[in-house]
């Protein structure tokens, strides 16, 4: 099975990888069918865990390979990674200011982006998690595109590890949307549909990332670090604060450490 996967076009590989991450988002959202309430400590620990996975993936799977690839160029090795990283953060900051969204564990009064009285809590929560998933999908697409481009520091196992790690952290994101909606009176079916919907953007973003790398190889170090910068912005601006707003900061912090460690092991062991 692995051999068959290795022979696929990198765009197809990226698409399959993000179908898995989308599936994990849906799996988390599906918990709404088994219960109406999830323990807040559990939810905050899962959000912290997701933050740890994203931080580890940003370095081990994206920034470190970007720096290695920069060594073969005419610029200092750190420059493409630094430029791409900052641009990724700036891009997410700009989108964050424009797109109306609501972070998990917060009330409608704390809606960010362009405010609208007609916006429902359901759509605002979905927009928030969708913001997460854009850089995650791009990261997976770029990782598989890097393998196809033949860069020594990029490996198929590393790209697969990235997809697995992001899939793991997508589980609590689906949960973070569906459970609050269920508590607010939505049906189980609607809560699930809204929860999994946020993951649909990842396959699209992955295809865009893979296409960009395959056809414009010099962009690769910038693309990898761009995805890393976008993910770090999401972690610092949303995931970590959301995990600690209900008073479970110690639990969320330790969960972040566990998530980071697991993703680091995955990337190093497989990559």
């Amino acid at each position: 099975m692995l051999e068959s996967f290795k022979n696929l076009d990198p765009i197809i590989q990226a698409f399959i990888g993000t179908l898995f991450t989308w599936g994990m988002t849906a799996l988390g959202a599906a918990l709404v069918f088994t219960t109406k309430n999830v323990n807040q400590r559990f939810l905050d620990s899962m959000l912290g865990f997701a933050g740890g996975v994203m931080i580890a993936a940003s370095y081990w799977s994206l920034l470190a390979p970007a720096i290695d690839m920069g060594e073969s160029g005419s610029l200092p090795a750190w420059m493409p990674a630094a430029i791409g990283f900052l641009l990724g953060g700036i891009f997410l900051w700009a989108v964050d200011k424009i797109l109306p969204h609501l972070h998990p564990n917060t009330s409608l009064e704390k809606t960010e982006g362009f405010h609208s009285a007609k916006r429902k809590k359901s759509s605002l929560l979905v927009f928030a998690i969708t913001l997460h998933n854009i850089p995650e999908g791009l990261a997976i697409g770029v990782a598989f595109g890097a393998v196809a481009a033949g860069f020594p520091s990029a490996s198929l196992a590393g790209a697969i590890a990235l997809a697995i790690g992001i899939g793991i952290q997508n589980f609590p994101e689906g949960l973070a949307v569906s459970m609050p909606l269920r508590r607010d009176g939505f049906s189980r079916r609607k809560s699930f549909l809204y929860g999994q919907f946020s993951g649909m953007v990842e396959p699209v973003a992955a295809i865009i990332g893979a296409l960009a790398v395959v056809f414009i190889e010099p962009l690769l170090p910038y693309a990898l670090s761009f995805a890393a910068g976008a993910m770090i912005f999401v972690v610092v601006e949303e995931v970590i604060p959301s995990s600690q707003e209900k008073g479970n900061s110690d639990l969320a912090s330790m969960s972040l450490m566990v998530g980071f460690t697991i993703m680091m092991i995955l990337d190093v062991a497989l990559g």
Side-chain angles (χ1 to χ4, degrees):
M1 184 176 178
L2 183 59
E3 285 298 320
S4 300
F5 185 77
K6 287 170 64 176
N7 295 327
L8 293 174
D9 184 275
I11 297 171
I12 302 299
Q13 291 175 339
F15 181 71
I16 293 173
T18 46
L19 284 181
F20 166 74
T21 61
W22 179 15
M24 290 296 290
T25 305
L27 187 62
L31 288 183
V32 77
F33 290 112
T34 63
T35 180
K36 184 175 181 178
N37 294 297
V38 170
N39 184 279
Q40 189 64 48
R41 285 172 58 84
F42 173 73
L43 183 58
D44 290 344
S45 67
M46 292 296 286
L47 285 171
F49 180 89
V53 169
M54 292 174 74
I55 293 171
S58 296
Y59 176 73
W60 296 101
S61 298
L62 301 170
L63 273 179
I67 293 171
D68 288 342
M69 293 170 192
E71 293 177 353
S72 61
S74 57
L75 298 173
W78 54 265
M79 187 172 289
I83 293 173
F85 184 81
L86 290 174
L87 286 176
I90 292 170
F91 172 77
L92 255 291
W93 171 81
V95 173
D96 194 63
K97 295 300 180 186
I98 296 171
L99 184 67
H101 64 284
L102 181 68
H103 296 178
N105 292 336
T106 55
S107 61
L108 277 171
E109 290 74 24
K110 295 184 179 180
T111 300
E112 296 185 6
F114 289 147
H115 290 221
S116 173
K118 296 180 180 180
R119 298 287 182 181
K120 295 181 179 180
K121 186 172 184 178
S122 55
S123 60
L124 293 170
L125 279 170
V126 172
F127 287 158
I129 304 301
T130 300
L131 278 177
H132 292 189
N133 292 339
I134 291 173
E136 292 166 9
L138 284 173
I140 294 172
V142 169
F144 281 105
V147 177
F151 285 91
S153 57
S155 69
L156 181 61
I160 292 173
L162 177 63
I164 292 172
I166 289 178
I168 291 171
Q169 69 90 33
N170 274 6
F171 181 86
E173 290 188 347
L175 182 67
V177 175
S178 64
M179 286 302 175
L181 295 181
R182 179 60 180 158
R183 287 196 295 266
D184 289 345
F186 282 73
S187 68
R188 296 182 191 275
R189 179 175 173 274
K190 278 192 173 182
S191 299
F192 167 74
L193 289 175
Y194 278 122
Q196 63 82 36
F197 181 79
S198 61
M200 292 176 64
V201 71
E202 288 195 3
V204 177
I207 291 173
I208 293 172
L211 282 171
V213 170
V214 169
F215 291 103
I216 315 175
E217 289 186 16
L219 284 180
L220 185 53
Y222 298 93
L224 285 167
S225 51
F226 179 94
M231 286 212 292
I232 290 296
F233 180 89
V234 167
V235 172
V236 176
E237 196 268 344
E238 181 166 339
V239 177
I240 292 177
S242 294
S243 71
Q244 301 190 359
E245 285 184 346
K246 299 298 183 179
N248 297 314
S249 59
D250 288 344
L251 176 63
S253 297
M254 290 309 301
S255 299
L256 185 147
M257 298 290 291
V258 172
F260 183 97
T261 302
I262 290 175
M263 183 62 209
M264 178 180 66
I265 292 171
L266 271 176
D267 194 88
V268 175
L270 296 180

